[in-house]
Amino acid sequence: MGAWKPNWDLPAGSGERWPDDYERGRPGWPAEVVDVPALPPTATALELAAGTGKLTRLLTATFARVLAAEPAEAMRRRLVASCPTAEVIDASAESIPLPDGTVDAVFAAEAFHHFDAERALREIARVLRPAGAIVLLWNVPAGPWEPSIAPVEEILDRRIARLGALSYDPLDLGGPRRPFSSDFEVVHVPNRQKLDRDDLVAFFASMGWIADIPDEERLPLLEDIRALLTADAYERQWTTHVHWTKLG
């Protein structure tokens, strides 16, 4: 039986340009999140859906060995360039090409809600050593953009109305789509982001529902957004939610 692969591709509209928007616009992670499971610096860490390496850079600065799994080739190219000391592998959370009991911790940042949870947790448990840690991260808005971007939100709200009923806020980054068991502890860490005008345009361009729009519609929409952003810099307060537990 062959390795299971998720049915996931880069957004249809922006395609391989999407990793650039993701790297430029998405918030990073507070340095202290990697200390939450209290692992020694000699630990081996595995990151799933490592993307462009926003969390990977913190992991490689902290732990002796870091394996970074990313199934999308365009993302992996950015990951290899930004994290040269990480061992980058082509793999999904549901099919991890590592022996049993290989790593001390598994991290996933802004990603677990995209996984097949049952398959992923089974694979994570398999590759973890006894008492290994699972650390799942999300950035959740803790305030509005400063200064206000109300005109931008108005035109995006009109576009969102065309999407129909949704189970999430399209102007958010998403987050846990299901509750975790009581075995997971939750830690909240403040995380402030500062962007210039073009970075904020990239933030919106990195949202999947916008990135899926064809060029002939998406690019004019992004130009409209840019025209409405009149400040040189924008800031937003996020809270990083860290869900974590140790097995065994």
Side-chain angles (χ1 to χ4, degrees):
M1 182 176 177
W4 184 88
K5 280 281 192 177
N7 182 21
W8 187 87
D9 294 306
L10 294 178
S14 54
E16 293 200 357
R17 291 165 293 182
W18 187 63
D20 294 332
D21 293 324
Y22 191 100
E23 174 64 22
R24 185 170 186 176
R26 291 293 183 102
W29 304 97
E32 53 265 45
V33 298
V34 299
D35 299 326
V36 167
L39 300 169
T42 55
T44 295
L46 166 66
E47 184 184 359
L48 299 173
T52 61
K54 285 182 174 288
L55 178 63
T56 321
R57 292 189 281 271
L58 296 178
L59 297 175
T60 56
T62 305
F63 301 120
R65 185 186 182 198
V66 174
L67 300 111
E70 171 52 52
E73 183 180 356
M75 284 291 207
R76 282 199 309 277
R77 288 197 294 268
R78 291 297 302 259
L79 182 59
V80 168
S82 65
C83 303
T85 62
E87 299 174 42
V88 177
I89 55 178
D90 175 7
S92 71
E94 298 83 358
S95 182
I96 303 171
L98 296 175
D100 296 357
T102 301
V103 302
D104 299 295
V106 174
F107 290 78
E110 210 75 63
F112 188 83
H113 54 291
H114 295 299
F115 300 164
D116 179 318
E118 184 177 347
R119 286 176 178 267
L121 288 172
R122 187 164 57 242
E123 277 290 86
I124 289 169
R126 181 184 66 78
V127 301
L128 278 173
R129 294 174 178 144
I134 304 174
V135 185
L136 310 176
L137 311 175
W138 286 270
N139 279 317
V140 178
W145 288 102
E146 301 170 356
S148 172
I149 61 165
V152 170
E153 292 170 340
E154 288 175 9
I155 67 168
L156 291 177
D157 282 339
R158 290 197 294 271
R159 181 83 198 196
I160 289 166
R162 296 162 55 182
L163 301 177
L166 298 171
S167 61
Y168 65 97
D169 180 357
L171 295 184
D172 189 356
L173 295 181
R177 295 294 188 251
R178 60 187 63 82
F180 290 104
S181 75
S182 58
D183 293 335
F184 278 81
E185 297 183 42
V186 183
V187 176
H188 294 162
V189 183
N191 186 18
R192 194 158 186 86
Q193 182 185 22
K194 184 174 181 178
L195 300 175
D196 66 22
R197 182 185 296 109
D198 288 335
D199 292 341
L200 187 50
V201 174
F203 168 82
F204 288 113
S206 79
M207 292 183 168
W209 69 274
I210 293 179
D212 271 330
I213 300 171
D215 276 356
E216 58 268 24
E217 297 180 54
R218 189 186 74 262
L219 297 180
L221 175 63
L222 295 176
E223 284 304 318
D224 289 344
I225 290 172
R226 182 178 284 103
L228 291 169
L229 296 174
T230 57
D232 292 330
Y234 293 85
E235 295 189 44
R236 190 176 200 180
Q237 184 66 44
W238 301 85
T239 298
T240 298
H241 290 205
V242 185
H243 297 245
W244 77 284
T245 190
K246 286 192 174 182
L247 300 184

